[in-house]
Amino acid sequence: MTYLDVTAAIIVDKNKFLSAKRSPGKHLAGHWEFPGGKIEPGETPEQCLKRELKEEFTIESEIGEFVAESIFDYGDKRIRLLAYKVKHLSGEFQLIDHDEIRWLPIEELDSLKWAPADIPIIEALKQQAKAQPTAEFYSNNAKYYYDDTFANDVNHVCDRFLSALSSANSDNQHILDLGCGAGRDSKVFMDAGFTVTALEASKELALLAEEHIGQPVLNMRYQQLDVKNTYDGIWACASLLHCPKSQIEYVMQNCIDALKEGGVFYFSFKHGEGERLDDWGRFFNDYTLESLKALIAKLNKNDLDELEVVELWQETELLRGKDQTWINGLVRKVKQ
């Protein structure tokens, strides 16, 4: 199935989102949209957005991280809409392809008549807004979380990961600890002789992890990961479980792209379905074995069987006095 790839800019100023109404004579005239346009041959989505915003509003912009994807069939064409965060750098907004713009808080976006392809982007923004307090939790409770998780024994899972990693024909193997938290697992891998890059979104946790492992920790979100064919293994232990479903495919694909051929990727989620907030207000994206299999199958469908499942398993452990069931996945990148 062929799609027309189109971009959308999510521009926010003082917690208000830019919405633009399509001019008379345009396709879907009178409907509102997040501005953007068709990706031309040879363009990246980011290059497309910079060009479109310059052409449509005469502004200069900086393209940030991916927000969400929406696929919609208009009958005469099928659209794949890719939305990105955008920072307005300079220039006054001049209306060239639109006859009105509005800045609205997220709760008021539904008051407009939106182009159908943009509606799922709004829903994704709402989901991601629910996830935002999770980052604040780890910032405000970094030392508590560090102390709470530091002694957790995940050596049996590390052994499975390292066993799969050892079958790859590569010297000086390099592991990315994606969402390293306290640096507990990074230290295990370093002590075993691996080169480790640790990444942590919480600045406060990253500083604590740096003290523990004795090397710098990348302070960034996994949504910002943008490297190719770099790592022999990616370890995402209880970290991707905070990624909204609207972004999980994009984030996991970036992880796959970051792996060398033959590299292995471990990830774990809490058992359940859908998205939720826990008693501390943290956001979780839950899976069962079946729904995780479906996610992996979807990634393979998009990329022509790039992944080989090494092992999927479910296990229950005692966590803070209660049984917690985990869903674990271990896959290998079999081709580029």
Side-chain angles (χ1 to χ4, degrees), residues 203-325:
K203 180 179 180 180
E204 291 77 11
L205 268 177
L207 291 173
L208 291 172
E210 285 184 355
E211 291 181 14
H212 179 59
I213 67 176
Q215 71 176 40
V217 171
L218 295 177
N219 180 213
M220 58 185 283
R221 288 154 45 87
Y222 39 61
Q223 287 91 339
Q224 298 170 291
L225 182 67
D226 186 23
V227 296
K228 310 294 183 187
N229 305 315
T230 300
Y231 303 108
D232 299 281
I234 296 180
W235 172 263
C237 181
S239 57
L240 292 177
L241 47 66
H242 294 312
C243 181
K245 289 189 185 294
S246 57
Q247 293 183 325
I248 192 68
E249 289 178 45
Y250 174 85
V251 169
M252 292 188 74
Q253 185 58 57
N254 279 356
C255 290
I256 296 164
D257 292 343
L259 282 172
K260 299 175 184 176
E261 187 170 333
V264 295
F265 181 17
Y266 168 75
F267 38 86
S268 60
F269 298 89
K270 291 190 177 184
H271 179 268
E273 287 287 9
E275 299 174 321
R276 62 182 173 85
L277 299 179
D278 70 0
D279 293 340
W280 289 337
R282 295 181 302 172
F283 175 91
F284 285 90
N285 171 17
D286 295 334
Y287 285 89
T288 63
L289 279 176
E290 290 305 312
S291 59
L292 189 58
K293 288 177 185 176
L295 174 61
I296 294 169
K298 193 168 184 180
L299 289 167
N300 266 337
K301 182 178 179 182
N302 291 341
D303 292 276
L304 305 176
D305 297 324
E306 191 176 20
L307 294 178
E308 171 189 72
V309 175
V310 177
E311 189 177 8
L312 299 179
W313 74 98
Q314 176 176 313
E315 62 185 15
T316 301
E317 65 175 26
L318 194 65
L319 182 66
R320 301 184 189 96
K322 298 180 181 179
D323 283 342
Q324 174 64 63
T325 301

Side-chain angles (χ1 to χ4, degrees), residues 25 32 37 39 53 62 79 81 100 106 108 127 134 171 219-220 233 239 244 249 253 258 306:
W32 292 80
I39 301 175
L53 292 171
E62 179 182 294
I79 296 291
L81 184 61
E100 185 180 351
I106 194 167
E108 294 182 17
Q127 291 175 345
T134 303
D171 296 325
N219 180 213
M220 58 185 283
S239 57
E249 289 178 45
Q253 185 58 57
E306 191 176 20

Side-chain angles (χ1 to χ4, degrees), residues 41-58:
E43 276 189 327
T44 66
E46 293 86 350
Q47 290 168 338
C48 170
L49 264 180
K50 283 182 69 71
R51 173 183 55 77
E52 289 284 350
L53 292 171
K54 180 71 171 178
E55 294 173 356
E56 294 182 3
F57 297 112
T58 72

